[in-house]
Amino acid sequence: MKIISKMLRICSVAAFLLTTIGIHSQGLPTDGPLTIRPMLQQLGEQLLQGKQGSIVAIRPETGEIICLSTNSPSGFDVNLAIAKAYAPGSTFKVAQALTLLSEGVISPDMSIPCTNGFTDGNIHVGCHKHFSPLALKGAIAQSCNTWFLTTFMSMINDRFMYEDGNEAITTWADYMKSMGLGGPVGVDIPGEKGGLVANMNYLSRRYKDGWDGKTIMWAGMGQGDITATPLQLCNMVASIANRGYYITPHIHQATENRPLSQRYLTKRQTKIAPEAYAPVIDGMRLTVESGTATSIKASYPICGKTGTVENSGADHSVFVGFAPMDNPQIAIAVYVEHGGFGADLAAPIASLIIELYLKGQLSQSSQNKAKRIASRRISAEK
């Protein structure tokens, strides 16, 4: 309990310097005060012990990075957060839903049946057990693969709205890029790299014999031709918290002698229709209330989305979210390699960071949870 108790104290100057030095040793700038909250940084580093992954937290209103914790076999490695692109898994379904709503491909009340997952010929994709059919909010809350595979294919194959697949995928990609996906977001940390948002040129190179909605349907559920860094995922969910804009994430604080560049003060509007946010956010709230992330229910309203990412080893555990629902103070993305279900590890880690930021301390039960997570060691083996 001593370790956890230390994390709950207001960090001393010495602790702050140690944190900053640790960051600097991996290439983050230290030529001025940083936006990092030392208390969150310490907790993040403890929670990631024995694991490989990242925790990125942002103040949505300002774009300030308040936590950037990572861990690898060699210790802190900022590239895991800003330069390593992963499949986002089901966390991507919120961006997908916003795009489909904005284009009028779906409506919030559109219901799709799901019986033991999605089947098309010899293709079968499993799904969580849930009631059927589901409308949008339930599909987000229960992370229904069938719902998102079907609706994404519907958009790409629609020849009434789009002249061909190239126009459909270009339209789709433009929405995703407006949420900060598909390329570096411009953080003031050296070495940032972007992920992948498929466009017609990429698809024509990869699928030389042609492609259609079925070929690329996996992107509808956050696998296949879509990747993102944890920083990009956090920025994406910050744009949802803000209901339509983000401010470029940054780690430097403004000072009298060093004001922030205008790029870190400017609201960057997404292409998402304003009316699309309410049903998606309701679905993210339902995720925590009665969906895949009920283990992190709290006295304040958290909105989130879990993700379980298939790969060559054990599944990656992912979570994105923000809180509180109507006055967001923190947006967060947690990515733990080989951590299993998103609800099992990434979501609880995120909930502890959120609690510490909003409440200033962890409850006794949360301290116990933090201790259990900190002692857990993750193997890449299935």
Side-chain angles (χ1 to χ4, degrees):
M1 294 302 295
K2 290 183 179 179
I3 293 175
I4 303 302
S5 297
K6 288 180 181 178
M7 292 188 290
L8 302 179
R9 298 172 186 165
I10 301 297
C11 293
S12 65
V13 174
F16 176 76
L17 290 174
L18 285 173
T19 301
T20 305
I21 290 168
I23 294 172
H24 178 67
S25 68
Q26 299 297 330
L28 284 185
T30 56
D31 52 339
L34 303 182
T35 58
I36 293 292
R37 302 300 194 270
M39 189 163 57
L40 300 185
Q41 191 75 8
Q42 280 193 324
L43 176 58
E45 290 171 358
Q46 292 291 337
L47 295 173
L48 288 175
Q49 285 183 354
K51 310 164 188 68
Q52 178 157 307
S54 306
I55 303 169
V56 183
I58 291 173
R59 282 190 64 201
E61 184 180 12
T62 64
E64 293 175 324
I65 298 173
I66 54 179
C67 181
L68 185 54
S69 298
T70 72
N71 195 45
S72 72
S74 58
F76 186 96
D77 183 357
V78 70
N79 289 326
L80 290 176
I82 71 168
K84 186 170 182 178
Y86 305 85
S90 292
T91 62
F92 181 69
K93 290 173 181 174
V94 293
Q96 187 77 323
L98 290 168
T99 298
L100 296 170
L101 282 167
S102 298
E103 278 295 283
V105 175
I106 62 171
S107 68
D109 298 327
M110 178 178 171
S111 294
I112 294 176
C114 175
T115 304
N116 299 320
F118 173 86
T119 301
D120 186 338
N122 62 352
I123 298 174
H124 178 75
V125 181
C127 198
H128 300 286
K129 290 184 178 180
H130 56 69
F131 292 111
S132 178
L134 290 174
L136 173 63
K137 295 176 188 178
I140 293 173
Q142 299 299 329
S143 200
C144 179
N145 290 331
T146 301
W147 207 98
F148 286 94
L149 290 172
T150 301
T151 54
F152 180 54
M153 281 196 295
S154 177
M155 177 181 178
I156 300 304
N157 291 335
D158 190 326
R159 292 301 166 264
F160 178 77
M161 292 184 63
Y162 312 104
E163 182 177 347
D164 53 24
N166 286 338
E167 182 182 356
I169 199 67
T170 298
T171 301
W172 176 84
D174 285 346
Y175 278 104
M176 298 306 167
K177 290 174 183 176
S178 79
M179 289 182 272
L181 301 172
V185 298
V187 68
D188 55 344
I189 304 171
E192 186 196 4
K193 295 180 182 177
L196 167 69
V197 169
N199 58 30
M200 62 180 184
N201 293 327
Y202 164 85
L203 293 175
S204 65
R205 291 194 303 270
R206 180 171 185 191
Y207 303 106
K208 297 187 182 301
D209 294 330
W211 57 272
D212 59 13
K214 185 176 178 180
T215 312
I216 63 171
M217 67 178 184
W218 314 101
M221 53 182 276
Q223 301 270 174
D225 301 303
I226 180 77
T227 63
T229 65
L231 175 64
Q232 287 176 311
L233 292 179
C234 189
N235 184 67
M236 175 201 73
V237 80
S239 77
I240 299 174
N242 288 333
R243 277 69 169 177
Y245 73 89
Y246 68 88
I247 295 177
T248 301
H250 53 279
I251 201 167
H252 279 109
Q253 285 185 1
T255 65
E256 185 176 350
N257 296 327
R258 182 178 175 173
L260 285 178
S261 166
Q262 193 61 36
R263 70 182 300 180
Y264 302 117
L265 300 170
T266 303
K267 291 182 179 180
R268 302 186 181 279
Q269 301 291 332
T270 72
K271 289 189 64 177
I272 302 302
E275 64 271 17
Y277 284 100
V280 172
I281 290 171
D282 286 345
M284 295 175 72
R285 180 73 189 119
L286 198 62
T287 298
V288 178
E289 282 292 297
S290 60
T292 58
T294 54
S295 65
I296 66 168
K297 289 175 68 172
S299 59
Y300 43 86
I302 300 174
C303 299
K305 184 70 194 76
T306 57
T308 304
V309 179
E310 297 179 3
N311 61 93
S312 58
D315 294 340
H316 299 328
S317 179
V318 198
F319 180 84
V320 299
F322 63 88
M325 179 177 182
D326 294 325
N327 182 29
Q329 301 298 308
I330 182 172
I332 191 166
V334 178
Y335 210 111
V336 182
E337 296 185 22
H338 314 295
F341 292 114
D344 289 348
L345 192 55
I349 287 175
S351 71
L352 292 169
I353 298 291
I354 291 171
E355 179 181 343
L356 185 56
Y357 186 63
L358 296 182
K359 298 293 187 179
Q361 61 181 5
L362 297 181
S363 68
Q364 186 62 54
S365 62
S366 292
Q367 291 181 46
N368 295 337
K369 181 190 292 185
K371 185 177 181 181
R372 290 194 299 271
I373 292 174
S375 65
R376 184 174 172 183
R377 299 297 181 262
I378 299 298
S379 170
E381 300 297 325
K382 286 189 175 182

